[in-house]
Amino acid sequence: MSEAIERPSGGAPPAWEYASAPESTDVVRLEDRYGLFIGGEFVEPKSGRWYPTISPSTEETLAEVAEADAADVARAVDAARDAAPAWQRLAPAERAKYVFRIARQLQERARELAVLESMNGGKPIKESRDLDVPLAAAHFFYYAGWADKLEYAFPGRGTPEPVGVAGQIIPWNFPLLMAAWKLAPALAAGNTAVLKPAETTPLTALLLAQVIQEAELPPGVVNVVTGAGETGAALVDASVDKIAFTGSTEVGKAIRRATAGSGKRLSLELGGKAANIVFEDAPLDQAVEGVINGIFFNQGHVCCAGSRLLVQEPVFDVLLAKLKDRLQTLRVGDPLDKNTDVGAINSKAQLDKIEELVESGVDEGAEIYQPECELPERGFWFRPTLFTGVVQSHRIAREEIFGPVLSILTFRTPDEAIEKANNTPYGLSAGVWTEKGSRILHMAQRLRAGVVWANTFNRFDPTSPFGGYKESGFGREGGLHGLEPYLSFDGNHR
Ligand code: NDP
């Protein structure tokens, strides 16, 4: 039997000492340089430009990656256009086999992908191992199953046809998973694609390109162009039939302006400022875990993060004490350590942005709390942070921080909670913690959010649609809803 843990009365819980348990990087074979994946091959960029991609936890260069210019992007789009007719004509059951093959290969190479994701992006290995990679494979499995059932998927809508060539632009917070969210439905529906990973996290998308090569997808069906924002802008301007974008609201707006009147289809999955609402009757220990997971999962680099905590006044003191205790036990550090809860901030630019917003919170009068924890000397790090005394006008209550920072507000009545939760230009997600089922339904109907979780947070499943309202974008990914943007019905391509 284990001995009872002694707690100093009224103080913080005892710190749990863990021996480090680093995951080996031997499974990853990095190349010095990665070209663009066009027409089924890795090719040198016409631009002649390359850039280093680093590990945000060590600041070491991992590899050099090609920087695609507009000519490179046009070449990738041409390859996708050339590959489209044969891919579309393929019997749907045959197309499904390719998509299933990608899913199985992702499972086979799961460890390599997880380690590489943590090396390049900074997220804890337990997250890339247990969430990013399995969920990416699950998306390919799920959409592979639809490939030969498209006629039955949307009854009464007419004959489904692929849209054509999809340009897909993804962010750095879930690099492999976002690639899967984009590619799996596009391929299952018979489209070809050009994928643009984020500048800071190209490596798992390039490993996915290798998987696609090994799965013997016809050349040109999937193309991957790496580079910075200009590469993304070139893809938006290229001759594609659809743009699917996940990223900041600012860039989403620019893309909407750029595609207006072009006839290109568009779906936007943008930022968020989700409210996680805890009622006085909620199971508080469970809520604490949900609140912690809601904001500190993936260092808070999550568009649907529960970054505003709304607590009903009678339980504010007790919940805050529990949250502070729990914060002390979070282990911040090496993403490859299996014990790590909070890894590295994805880039210096993102760290600067978090620091600036946190400073604004202090300047505007909110009270900051950070646990004592040692941060590694090299790399980009930020302590898990709570703010109390936050009012709705504070920047930290309004703007997406995209870091491990929680702004705590209080409320008295359900109506006040709804009003505060909806008082944001965003509308991506929300959480409700209460014992009462009827209250959950009451809240869910009134919260202007694409996803509302009840007594849980950050749950994802390939069968469930995900997406936002207002400045969080439009269109859905996941489930049948995520298949629809890649199909047209009875020749209506727009
Ligand atoms: P961006 O929106 O700039 O990046 C998302 C993707 O779009 C990246 O692949 C990026 O390339 C590309 N891109 C950048 N500019 C353009 C453009 N003009 N046209 C087409 N594509 C473009 O996000 P950032 O990485 O700059 O992060 C800034 C902030 O955005 C974060 O602090 C966070 O608040 C928010 N964000 C929200 C995300 C979400 O899921 N809702 C995801 C990521 C960020 P490149 O990486 O090379 O710049």
Side-chain angles (χ1 to χ4, degrees):
M1 285 294 289
S2 60
E3 287 172 30
I5 298 171
E6 244 182 70
R7 289 184 62 144
S9 57
W16 293 355
E17 292 301 333
Y18 278 73
S20 67
E23 177 71 59
S24 166
T25 56
D26 289 352
V27 68
V28 172
R29 256 170 242 94
L30 281 170
E31 289 167 29
D32 294 340
R33 266 192 167 187
Y34 290 84
L36 305 168
F37 185 64
I38 297 179
E41 294 172 14
F42 284 89
V43 299
E44 301 254 319
K46 286 184 179 174
S47 70
R49 289 197 299 270
W50 304 80
Y51 71 92
T53 184
I54 67 163
S55 153
S57 60
T58 63
E59 296 179 58
E60 279 163 4
T61 296
L62 298 173
E64 285 211 318
V65 176
E67 188 184 325
D69 65 10
D72 290 307
V73 170
R75 187 173 162 200
V77 172
D78 286 348
R81 183 73 62 202
D82 291 347
W87 182 243
Q88 290 173 12
R89 275 198 309 273
L90 205 62
E94 289 303 309
R95 209 162 57 224
K97 284 185 196 168
Y98 286 105
V99 185
F100 275 123
R101 215 180 276 165
I102 297 171
R104 285 197 304 271
Q105 276 290 96
L106 290 183
Q107 287 187 321
E108 285 203 2
R109 299 178 73 169
R111 191 155 158 249
E112 181 185 0
L113 284 156
V115 173
L116 187 58
E117 195 74 304
S118 288
M119 287 167 75
N120 200 197
K123 64 174 66 197
I125 184 73
K126 70 178 175 191
E127 290 178 8
S128 35
R129 181 195 62 197
D130 297 347
L131 189 127
D132 295 68
V133 177
L135 207 48
H139 271 81
F140 281 102
F141 275 121
Y142 172 72
Y143 281 110
W146 276 117
D148 61 353
K149 301 172 195 70
L150 298 176
E151 284 174 55
Y152 313 105
F154 301 97
R157 295 283 299 276
T159 309
E161 287 171 29
V163 169
V165 177
Q168 306 181 315
I169 302 169
I170 56 171
W172 41 261
N173 51 347
F174 294 91
L176 180 71
L177 185 58
M178 288 303 104
W181 278 27
K182 297 275 181 285
L183 288 173
L187 297 180
N191 301 275
T192 58
V194 178
L195 178 80
K196 203 306 257 170
E199 180 183 9
T200 56
T201 52
L203 293 182
T204 46
L206 291 164
L207 189 50
L208 175 63
Q210 285 177 14
V211 163
I212 284 167
Q213 212 177 23
E214 285 162 16
E216 295 179 353
L217 252 75
V221 169
V222 173
N223 307 274
V224 180
V225 289
T226 47
E230 299 82 66
T231 307
L235 184 53
V236 171
D237 291 339
S239 126
V240 294
D241 301 297
K242 172 181 167 55
I243 289 288
F245 172 78
T246 299
S248 63
T249 297
E250 191 192 344
V251 173
K253 285 180 181 175
I255 291 177
R256 190 158 198 197
R257 280 193 292 271
T259 51
S262 68
K264 290 173 192 166
R265 287 183 169 215
L266 178 63
S267 49
L268 298 174
E269 203 271 273
L270 310 174
K273 192 73 190 174
N276 211 349
I277 306 167
V278 180
F279 283 92
E280 60 180 323
D281 66 344
L284 288 188
D285 289 330
Q286 195 180 325
V288 165
E289 287 313 304
V291 170
I292 294 283
N293 164 273
I295 185 63
F296 300 118
F297 168 62
N298 199 26
Q299 297 74 248
H301 300 330
V302 184
C303 46
C304 53
S307 53
R308 285 183 299 154
L309 172 62
L310 304 186
V311 188
Q312 201 162 18
E313 279 185 6
V315 289
F316 172 74
D317 289 336
V318 59
L319 191 74
L320 182 63
K322 282 175 185 284
L323 281 173
K324 286 181 173 176
D325 272 8
R326 184 67 179 88
L327 232 63
Q328 292 284 354
T329 66
L330 290 180
R331 282 175 296 276
V332 184
D334 182 4
L336 290 173
D337 189 324
K338 289 169 214 155
N339 294 320
T340 293
D341 298 305
V342 179
I345 299 302
N346 183 266
S347 65
K348 176 73 170 63
Q350 188 60 28
L351 179 59
D352 291 346
K353 180 182 165 185
I354 296 168
E355 286 174 344
E356 192 268 325
L357 272 160
V358 165
E359 219 167 278
S360 83
V362 174
D363 291 347
E364 288 186 322
E367 194 177 319
I368 188 168
Y369 173 82
Q370 292 178 319
E372 296 145 21
C373 60
E374 265 182 47
L375 300 181
E377 277 180 15
R378 294 202 70 188
F380 315 129
W381 308 96
F382 200 82
R383 285 193 173 79
T385 301
L386 303 181
F387 271 110
T388 49
V390 179
V391 297
Q392 293 184 81
S393 58
H394 287 164
R395 284 181 65 203
I396 54 169
R398 291 184 289 118
E399 295 181 31
E400 185 177 45
I401 301 175
F402 226 62
V405 182
L406 181 65
S407 302
I408 308 179
L409 299 95
T410 58
F411 68 93
R412 291 179 192 172
T413 63
D415 283 349
E416 186 185 348
I418 290 162
E419 194 132 318
K420 285 184 168 166
N422 289 340
N423 183 17
T424 167
Y426 297 110
L428 192 54
S429 64
V432 179
W433 298 82
T434 174
E435 197 185 40
K436 272 199 177 135
S438 58
R439 181 173 285 152
I440 292 170
L441 296 174
H442 176 86
M443 296 295 291
Q445 280 173 347
R446 286 159 183 80
L447 289 165
R448 288 288 291 158
V451 182
V452 180
W453 287 291
N455 294 326
T456 187
F457 208 87
N458 276 341
R459 295 275 167 193
F460 303 98
D461 189 282
T463 63
S464 266
F466 181 89
Y469 292 108
K470 303 192 282 183
E471 295 207 357
S472 292
F474 51 80
R476 295 290 181 266
E477 293 183 297
L480 269 180
H481 298 71
L483 203 51
E484 197 180 6
Y486 290 100
L487 289 169
S488 62
F489 295 90
D490 284 341
N492 175 16
H493 284 263
R494 302 291 176 220

